[in-house]
Amino acid sequence: MTVGLFIPCYVDQFYPGAAIATLELLEKLGVNVVYPENQTCCGQPMANSGFEHLADGCNKLFLKNFAGFDYVVAPSGSCVLHIREHLHSDDKPNLATELSQKVYELSEFLTDVLKITSLPSKFPHKVGMHQSCHGQRGLHLSQMTELVAPDFSKPGRLLQMVEGIEIIPLSRKDECCGFGGTFCVTEEAVSVKMGKDRIEDHLQHDAEYITGVDMSCLMHMEGILKRQGSKVKVLHLAEILNGK
Amino acid sequence: MQAETKDHAELAAIFNKDEARVDWHDETLWWVRQKRDKAVHVLPEWETLRETASQIKNNVLSNLSEYLQQFEANAQANGIIIHWAADAAAHNAIVLELLLAKGIRKLVKSKSMLTEECHLNEHLESNGIEVIDSDLGERIVQLAKEPPSHIVLPCIHKKKEEIGDLFHTHLGTPKGNADPQFLTETARQHLREIFLTRRAALTGVNFAVAQTGEFVVCTNEGNADMGAHLADIHIASMGIEKIIPERKHLGVFLRLLTRSATGQPITTYSSHFAKPRQGKEIHIIIVDNGRTIQLGREDFRNSLKCIRCGACMNTCPVYRRSGGHSYHTAIAGPIGSILAPNLDMEKYADLPFASTLCGSCTNVCPVKIDIHQQLYKWRQVIVKNGYAPAAKKAAMQLMSHTLSSPAAYHTAGKAGRWALKYIPFAVNNKFNTWYRQRDMPEPPKQSFGEWYHKNRKKK
């Protein structure tokens, strides 16, 4: 099995640690991982802003870079959701559809494809888990509080495999952090207020770290935490699962 | 947005200047959301109910003209007078005409978001008709000369002290008295007097049954009944989408409506109106006002399934922190944001963007409207129709250009990280909206791509 590693643009530029952890974790679990060096972005920033038609270049690149793999894995629920729902090609529509179904978010790949039951990792800290909306509601990585259905969480189950970790409860289990792509700047006031409230929930339950499957939500919360002078840190799920 | 009216972001920013108020607004609505959760989680068949309701509405929307005609014939057979209104102006004209024909100058009204959509009150008042809203929340916002900020909880943005002040000014209660029990009793006496002396009543319609020609009005205060039963003439305003095929379907919708809206098992009053009593009249105005256009928009027709429970507003993290008035339309929140652009795409071009697309609205919707997917789709339509601000358009073109070329992307990434590190003032300034209340991420020494090239490719 060869997996194409898709590292979203902002993770590549600002959070290489999350990407390295993803790569190392997959390799540790025996997966052959290849990182196509000419990748850029999934195209979501344009599409969610109403400019889906300007995402063509990104679509073409994505197809070119990833069409040959058995699976494509990315440490981002949001980008994966975008590819699943909107990857598009006028020339090769079938190839685009096929590829869009082979793209997995990291925690769902570990749970549904690799079906792992244990991890050699250790992280003796109090951790709050931020359920990013696109991962949770879009990819259904965990059950949502609005629905009447049994509870489960793919990233939650993976975190439970980590030695020494204490996952703190939250008052609002799956509230949005307010990042929302370009929403974070076009609706700055509400975005920041949502972020502050989301952080407060974690802080009130004594989190030392906030983790999640989407670095974008974590980047937004980190920006507010730092501005508040908080010592609480954000870490991508992969960094905890890969912790030694 | 070039429009004169402020857009959602600006209005929400004003609302957010008083953070304590935002917290209070958020917590109040979250409390309603939690009540809703409790009420739905005791029903193992909840998801089946939602699916059933959604399917019934699919049937309705696919056979709308047939059901409307069936409803009209059956209602007429019951002695109800039916009027058809193509738009808001026609609706308002019919109401005015009905009142003037009987020499009526005062109208008591129960809750109807359709009349808000049509701006009926303003029209009647400018024609010398006094309108009294009889729903307590609506009466409060009416006294404050404000529109409702929520479709089910119209004055949810008002604190009890503010209501006390309003009642002091308009109803003569003692200054500073904000006791909810006392204020409610005052409103009750005030409205009772109105119910007893008005000759015409207007209500909304929650459900109109095609099979029987009857309609159902749901209230918690019984005010629709008080108005309608005491009046000589009862006017009911309904949107064309309020039809359900058969009486047995009511059971599905009545169970869904209030659990979603307030967490109650059922509304206190679910009043059936089938035929006028002797000497009295019932008129129904069936209103289109853009609904057939929405029906014709394949991507957005599902929005017509809405039963106006307001659950999407209570759950929406953006609505809770921006207040209903920031949506500058009669129906606020996520559902309003997919209905309004149909009425006026330019005026409401901002609303589909007032969302993080978190999807919670879609999950709580009792009739399974794909609200957040429609928000996404409206964004595409609005941009295609040329209603995107010029600066955003330029930024998106630049971004698209950079991200379409790996070389341009790598150069831009490197330059950006370099700037953040060596000339942070170029990034961390007041023109950077991110930086206003958030720090920028710390630039790493190398991107992942650079790390990979060094550490893996050369191995």
Short mmCIF file of all heavy atoms in Angstrom, two decimals, chain B residues 17-18 30 47 61 91 115 144 170 180 191 204 224 239 257 263 273 287 306 332 353 427 439-440 454:
data_model
loop_
_atom_site.label_atom_id
_atom_site.label_comp_id
_atom_site.label_asym_id
_atom_site.label_seq_id
_atom_site.Cartn_x
_atom_site.Cartn_y
_atom_site.Cartn_z
N LYS B 17 -19.39 44.94 20.64
CA LYS B 17 -18.70 45.94 21.48
C LYS B 17 -19.04 45.74 22.94
O LYS B 17 -18.26 46.11 23.82
CB LYS B 17 -19.06 47.35 21.02
CG LYS B 17 -18.28 47.71 19.76
CD LYS B 17 -18.41 49.16 19.39
CE LYS B 17 -17.52 49.45 18.20
NZ LYS B 17 -18.08 50.45 17.31
N ASP B 18 -20.21 45.19 23.21
CA ASP B 18 -20.62 44.92 24.59
C ASP B 18 -20.50 43.41 24.82
O ASP B 18 -21.44 42.66 24.62
CB ASP B 18 -22.07 45.40 24.77
CG ASP B 18 -22.55 45.26 26.21
OD1 ASP B 18 -21.83 44.63 27.02
OD2 ASP B 18 -23.64 45.79 26.51
N TRP B 30 -28.17 29.27 24.07
CA TRP B 30 -27.59 27.94 24.28
C TRP B 30 -28.45 27.13 25.25
O TRP B 30 -28.61 25.93 25.11
CB TRP B 30 -26.15 28.04 24.79
CG TRP B 30 -25.51 26.70 24.93
CD1 TRP B 30 -25.24 26.02 26.07
CD2 TRP B 30 -25.10 25.82 23.86
NE1 TRP B 30 -24.69 24.79 25.80
CE2 TRP B 30 -24.59 24.65 24.45
CE3 TRP B 30 -25.12 25.94 22.46
CZ2 TRP B 30 -24.10 23.59 23.70
CZ3 TRP B 30 -24.63 24.87 21.71
CH2 TRP B 30 -24.12 23.72 22.33
N GLU B 47 -34.82 10.68 14.70
CA GLU B 47 -34.25 10.80 13.35
C GLU B 47 -35.25 10.29 12.30
O GLU B 47 -35.28 10.80 11.18
CB GLU B 47 -32.91 10.08 13.25
CG GLU B 47 -31.82 10.59 14.23
CD GLU B 47 -31.49 12.08 14.08
OE1 GLU B 47 -31.66 12.63 12.98
OE2 GLU B 47 -31.09 12.70 15.09
N LEU B 61 -43.61 19.81 -2.03
CA LEU B 61 -42.96 20.73 -2.97
C LEU B 61 -43.06 20.23 -4.42
O LEU B 61 -43.05 21.02 -5.35
CB LEU B 61 -41.48 20.93 -2.57
CG LEU B 61 -41.26 21.65 -1.23
CD1 LEU B 61 -39.78 21.78 -0.93
CD2 LEU B 61 -41.93 23.02 -1.21
N HIS B 91 -50.40 41.19 -0.86
CA HIS B 91 -50.86 40.70 0.44
C HIS B 91 -51.33 41.86 1.31
O HIS B 91 -52.41 41.84 1.89
CB HIS B 91 -49.74 39.92 1.13
CG HIS B 91 -49.99 39.67 2.58
ND1 HIS B 91 -49.48 40.50 3.56
CD2 HIS B 91 -50.72 38.72 3.22
CE1 HIS B 91 -49.88 40.06 4.75
NE2 HIS B 91 -50.63 38.97 4.57
N THR B 115 -46.01 38.24 7.77
CA THR B 115 -46.37 39.66 7.75
C THR B 115 -45.14 40.54 8.03
O THR B 115 -45.07 41.66 7.57
CB THR B 115 -47.50 39.98 8.76
OG1 THR B 115 -47.06 39.63 10.07
CG2 THR B 115 -48.77 39.25 8.42
N ALA B 144 -40.91 48.83 21.42
CA ALA B 144 -39.55 49.36 21.25
C ALA B 144 -39.30 49.85 19.83
O ALA B 144 -38.21 50.35 19.53
CB ALA B 144 -38.53 48.28 21.61
N HIS B 170 -44.66 52.87 28.23
CA HIS B 170 -45.86 52.69 27.40
C HIS B 170 -47.07 52.18 28.17
O HIS B 170 -48.20 52.42 27.76
CB HIS B 170 -45.55 51.73 26.25
CG HIS B 170 -44.52 52.24 25.31
ND1 HIS B 170 -44.81 53.13 24.30
CD2 HIS B 170 -43.18 52.03 25.23
CE1 HIS B 170 -43.70 53.43 23.62
NE2 HIS B 170 -42.70 52.78 24.18
N PRO B 180 -40.42 39.70 36.11
CA PRO B 180 -41.06 39.09 34.95
C PRO B 180 -42.54 38.75 35.20
O PRO B 180 -43.39 38.96 34.33
CB PRO B 180 -40.26 37.82 34.71
CG PRO B 180 -38.94 38.06 35.34
CD PRO B 180 -39.19 38.97 36.50
N LEU B 191 -53.34 43.40 27.02
CA LEU B 191 -53.77 42.71 25.79
C LEU B 191 -55.23 42.27 25.88
O LEU B 191 -55.95 42.29 24.89
CB LEU B 191 -52.86 41.52 25.51
CG LEU B 191 -51.45 41.89 25.02
CD1 LEU B 191 -50.53 40.67 25.00
CD2 LEU B 191 -51.51 42.51 23.62
N GLY B 204 -51.02 34.01 11.76
CA GLY B 204 -50.26 33.28 10.77
C GLY B 204 -50.90 31.91 10.57
O GLY B 204 -52.00 31.65 11.07
N ALA B 224 -53.45 33.80 19.71
CA ALA B 224 -54.10 33.68 18.40
C ALA B 224 -55.58 33.35 18.59
O ALA B 224 -56.46 33.94 17.94
CB ALA B 224 -53.42 32.61 17.55
N GLY B 239 -47.85 31.42 3.72
CA GLY B 239 -46.99 31.23 2.55
C GLY B 239 -47.44 29.96 1.84
O GLY B 239 -47.97 29.04 2.48
N LEU B 257 -42.11 20.37 15.79
CA LEU B 257 -42.03 21.83 15.84
C LEU B 257 -41.51 22.37 17.17
O LEU B 257 -40.48 23.04 17.22
CB LEU B 257 -43.40 22.44 15.51
CG LEU B 257 -43.48 23.98 15.54
CD1 LEU B 257 -42.59 24.60 14.47
CD2 LEU B 257 -44.91 24.46 15.36
N GLY B 263 -37.95 23.07 23.04
CA GLY B 263 -37.76 21.89 23.88
C GLY B 263 -39.03 21.43 24.56
O GLY B 263 -39.00 20.56 25.42
N PHE B 273 -58.47 25.68 12.86
CA PHE B 273 -59.54 26.54 12.35
C PHE B 273 -60.06 25.90 11.06
O PHE B 273 -59.33 25.75 10.09
CB PHE B 273 -59.02 27.95 12.06
CG PHE B 273 -58.56 28.68 13.30
CD1 PHE B 273 -57.25 28.63 13.72
CD2 PHE B 273 -59.49 29.41 14.05
CE1 PHE B 273 -56.83 29.30 14.86
CE2 PHE B 273 -59.08 30.08 15.21
CZ PHE B 273 -57.75 30.03 15.61
N VAL B 287 -49.90 33.40 0.03
CA VAL B 287 -48.89 34.33 -0.50
C VAL B 287 -47.71 33.60 -1.15
O VAL B 287 -47.18 32.63 -0.60
CB VAL B 287 -48.34 35.22 0.66
CG1 VAL B 287 -47.38 36.27 0.12
CG2 VAL B 287 -49.49 35.87 1.43
N CYS B 306 -38.96 24.65 5.38
CA CYS B 306 -38.84 25.23 6.73
C CYS B 306 -40.19 25.38 7.42
O CYS B 306 -41.14 25.91 6.85
CB CYS B 306 -38.14 26.58 6.63
SG CYS B 306 -38.00 27.42 8.23
N ALA B 332 -33.93 35.91 10.52
CA ALA B 332 -32.49 35.97 10.74
C ALA B 332 -31.87 34.58 10.71
O ALA B 332 -32.52 33.61 10.36
CB ALA B 332 -32.22 36.65 12.08
N PHE B 353 -22.42 34.52 3.76
CA PHE B 353 -21.04 34.51 4.25
C PHE B 353 -20.97 34.66 5.77
O PHE B 353 -19.90 34.56 6.35
CB PHE B 353 -20.24 35.64 3.58
CG PHE B 353 -20.10 35.45 2.09
CD1 PHE B 353 -21.05 35.97 1.21
CD2 PHE B 353 -19.05 34.71 1.57
CE1 PHE B 353 -20.94 35.77 -0.16
CE2 PHE B 353 -18.93 34.51 0.21
CZ PHE B 353 -19.88 35.04 -0.66
N VAL B 427 3.59 42.85 8.80
CA VAL B 427 2.44 41.93 8.87
C VAL B 427 1.57 42.27 10.08
O VAL B 427 0.34 42.31 10.00
CB VAL B 427 2.94 40.47 8.98
CG1 VAL B 427 1.76 39.52 9.01
CG2 VAL B 427 3.88 40.14 7.83
N ASP B 439 -2.49 36.74 17.69
CA ASP B 439 -1.11 36.76 17.23
C ASP B 439 -0.99 35.93 15.96
O ASP B 439 -1.75 34.99 15.74
CB ASP B 439 -0.17 36.18 18.30
CG ASP B 439 0.13 37.21 19.38
OD1 ASP B 439 -0.44 38.33 19.31
OD2 ASP B 439 0.92 36.91 20.29
N MET B 440 0.00 36.28 15.15
CA MET B 440 0.28 35.48 13.95
C MET B 440 1.03 34.22 14.38
O MET B 440 1.72 34.23 15.41
CB MET B 440 1.16 36.28 12.98
CG MET B 440 0.49 37.48 12.34
SD MET B 440 -0.86 37.04 11.25
CE MET B 440 0.03 36.37 9.83
N LYS B 454 15.23 18.08 2.26
CA LYS B 454 16.54 17.92 2.88
C LYS B 454 16.70 16.56 3.53
O LYS B 454 17.72 15.90 3.43
CB LYS B 454 16.73 19.00 3.95
CG LYS B 454 17.57 20.15 3.45
CD LYS B 454 17.74 21.18 4.56
CE LYS B 454 17.35 22.54 4.03
NZ LYS B 454 16.89 23.45 5.05
#
